[in-house]
């Protein structure tokens, strides 16, 4: 996939300190969305700005027959979510750790997406 992040602006931090450990990279890769194999005819719920994943875990338990795609660019939050998924043995969640607009830009998901959840979006530039 091409790097379209230049086309779509992203504000806020993308990574913290947690990615440095190999175990964190391994667990993040386990749950990362594979666009070619994970997106089949299964219905999808998209959780945009999933953060540490509290809502994602709720959705995965309530809609166990759906694929929940947790989309957030902040890697530490994604790692925290992956650890929770691993501990709770939840298998219907995938992580998309890029700008969510890339999903819409490159794929036709209209027939697959059942719901889109956006809680407390944080889309503006931050001062350091």
């Amino acid at each position: 996939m091409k790097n379209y992040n230049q086309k779509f602006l992203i504000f806020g931090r993308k990574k913290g300190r947690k990615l440095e450990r190999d175990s964190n990279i391994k667990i993040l890769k386990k749950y990362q969305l594979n666009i070619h194999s994970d997106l089949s005819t299964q219905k999808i719920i998209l959780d945009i700005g999933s953060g540490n994943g509290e809502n994602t875990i709720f959705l995965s338990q309530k809609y166990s027959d759906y694929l929940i795609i947790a989309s957030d660019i902040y890697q530490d939050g994604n790692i925290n979510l992956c650890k929770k998924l691993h501990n709770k043995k939840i298998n219907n969640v995938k992580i998309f750790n890029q700008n969510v607009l890339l999903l819409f830009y490159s794929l036709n998901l209209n027939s697959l997406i059942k719901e889109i959840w956006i809680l407390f979006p944080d889309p503006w530039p931050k001062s350091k």
Side-chain angles (χ1 to χ4, degrees):
M1 178 181 290
K2 293 180 182 176
N3 183 3
Y4 290 99
N5 283 331
Q6 294 172 352
K7 183 174 184 152
F8 304 112
L9 295 176
I10 297 176
F11 303 106
R13 294 185 302 162
K14 296 176 188 167
K15 62 182 176 177
R17 296 183 182 127
K18 289 190 176 184
L19 194 62
E20 295 172 1
R21 287 188 235 129
D22 288 338
S23 61
N24 290 337
I25 293 171
K26 188 175 180 180
I27 196 165
L28 185 60
K29 285 184 179 182
K30 175 183 177 187
Y31 288 101
Q32 233 170 1
L33 177 70
N34 182 327
I35 292 176
H36 303 292
S37 64
D38 292 332
L39 301 177
S40 60
T41 58
Q42 185 178 18
K43 291 290 186 179
I44 295 170
I45 295 177
L46 186 57
D47 185 12
I48 299 175
S50 55
N52 288 327
E54 296 87 354
N55 187 58
T56 304
I57 294 200
F58 165 78
L59 291 172
S60 70
Q61 293 169 342
K62 184 172 181 179
Y63 301 101
S64 59
D65 53 338
Y66 288 81
L67 174 65
I68 311 300
I69 298 177
S71 176
D72 201 314
I73 60 166
Y74 187 54
Q75 292 176 346
D76 283 2
N78 289 331
I79 289 168
N80 290 336
L81 173 56
C82 290
K83 288 178 180 179
K84 291 175 189 176
L85 295 171
H86 180 73
N87 291 337
K88 293 179 181 273
K89 297 181 170 67
I90 296 174
N91 296 317
N92 65 329
V93 174
K94 292 293 181 180
I95 306 292
F96 186 73
N97 62 347
Q98 299 179 42
N99 190 330
V100 72
L101 294 174
L102 294 175
L103 278 177
F104 297 114
Y105 188 76
S106 61
L107 301 169
N108 183 11
L109 299 176
N110 293 338
S111 62
L112 296 177
I113 294 178
K114 175 173 177 11
E115 296 178 14
I116 297 176
W117 287 62
I118 305 173
L119 301 178
F120 313 109
D122 199 12
W124 51 84
K126 310 296 182 284
S127 61
K128 293 188 179 200

